[in-house]
Amino acid sequence: MSVLPKVGIQLCSVKNELREDVVQTLTLLSQMGFAGVEFAGEFGQFTDDPKGLKCLLDSLGLEPCGAHIQLSQFTDNCIEQQLNFYRALGIKLLIVAWDERAWSDANLYELIAELNQLHSRLVVCGFQLGFHNHQHEFDQFQQTTFWDVIALSTPHDFVMQMDVGWLAYAGKNPLEYVERYPGRTWSTHYKAKMSQSVSASGLLSLLDEDSDCWLKLLSANINVGGTQWVVIEHNECQAEGLVYDDIGQAKAQLDKLMRAFSAEKC
């Protein structure tokens, strides 16, 4: 029987609110029914207190489902400090959020070498490493795409965290990419909303697209991609109330898709 992934939220979606009040923001997200949160470098008053933050998450019933990082944070001089922080916070999945070498003809393989080196070191320490896409990784490179080269040049347990909105914006089919790399989409991003400056056809956000297409993608994530976490992300700066409204509506839509998937399996 297929196990439904848990639903988390990328905390950059509420970065302004998080800077104002970490406790209140996490409390609201817990009350909205999220199972977990994915960090992105903002820890508020808990910057030097990961154990305290973990206690807060536990009290709210929230799991730390991962963290977005930069490779510059994991040099030999500071890697142990970073790993100790994330270990105390209970995070095992670290995702490189952005690196311009990922779409550089000249520097792609330099990046891949660094990813593989760090991956080998993290696995020994009990962590997983992965990479997150934006649109540029799907530009053409050597008769394929930069994203494909990264996937083919990293181990099978290296997580390819697909951001569906950006992939669709790049003109690619998310379903095709889940099926192309089975077991690699341990965590994936579904958009609540993208910037108003972004417009294209495809699975851009949960709020404005065909539910049948989303159901097919969710099924592929579960049955092929091995997805354990679907992480909702909001990419448009708005007033606090509107952000929470969009996030709430997106979660309700995702919950509906989960129920539909379960019904199909009965």
Side-chain angles (χ1 to χ4, degrees), residues 69-75 96-118 129-134 136-142 145-150 153 158:
I69 64 166
Q70 300 297 330
L71 285 174
S72 59
Q73 300 172 284
F74 285 79
T75 62
V96 178
W98 174 278
D99 195 307
E100 292 184 1
R101 292 175 295 175
W103 55 89
S104 165
D105 292 15
N107 300 314
L108 176 64
Y109 286 103
E110 175 187 86
L111 169 63
I112 290 172
E114 289 185 23
L115 291 173
N116 283 329
Q117 182 180 22
L118 181 59
L129 184 65
F131 197 84
H132 178 88
N133 71 271
H134 293 79
H136 304 296
E137 288 87 352
F138 296 95
D139 290 346
Q140 195 73 12
F141 178 69
Q142 295 182 349
T145 72
F146 291 100
W147 184 255
D148 288 284
V149 174
I150 294 171
S153 304
F158 182 90

Side-chain angles (χ1 to χ4, degrees), residues 5 16 25 27 53 65 67 70 72 75-76 84 92 97 117 125 129 154 168 184 205 221 265:
N16 294 329
T25 302
T27 299
L53 183 52
C65 62
Q70 300 297 330
S72 59
T75 62
D76 288 340
N84 287 338
K92 294 185 177 181
Q117 182 180 22
C125 297
L129 184 65
T154 49
R184 303 290 297 272
S205 79
N221 279 140
K265 295 301 177 182

Side-chain angles (χ1 to χ4, degrees), residues 9-26 28-29 38 40-45 234-244 247:
I9 182 166
Q10 167 51 246
L11 289 177
C12 70
S13 307
V14 289
K15 59 185 177 182
N16 294 329
E17 292 76 16
L18 206 63
R19 289 167 184 159
E20 290 282 331
D21 192 327
V22 172
V23 176
Q24 180 182 16
T25 302
L26 294 177
L28 286 171
L29 294 173
E38 183 181 68
E42 184 66 55
F43 305 101
Q45 67 264 41
H234 191 290
N235 270 145
E236 185 176 18
C237 293
Q238 290 180 318
E240 178 177 326
L242 294 176
V243 169
Y244 284 120
I247 291 170

Side-chain angles (χ1 to χ4, degrees), residues 153-164:
S153 304
T154 49
H156 187 266
D157 58 351
F158 182 90
V159 177
M160 301 298 291
Q161 188 186 57
M162 182 187 299
D163 187 309
V164 175

Side-chain angles (χ1 to χ4, degrees), residues 32-87:
M32 293 172 73
F34 285 100
V37 292
E38 183 181 68
F39 288 90
E42 184 66 55
F43 305 101
Q45 67 264 41
F46 297 97
T47 297
D48 299 314
D49 185 17
K51 291 183 179 179
L53 183 52
K54 180 62 166 62
C55 287
L56 173 62
L57 294 176
D58 290 344
S59 72
L60 295 172
L62 291 170
E63 297 181 47
C65 62
H68 276 196
I69 64 166
Q70 300 297 330
L71 285 174
S72 59
Q73 300 172 284
F74 285 79
T75 62
D76 288 340
N77 292 332
C78 55
I79 186 171
E80 290 303 325
Q81 180 182 358
Q82 291 291 331
L83 293 183
N84 287 338
F85 180 91
Y86 286 114
R87 188 180 291 112

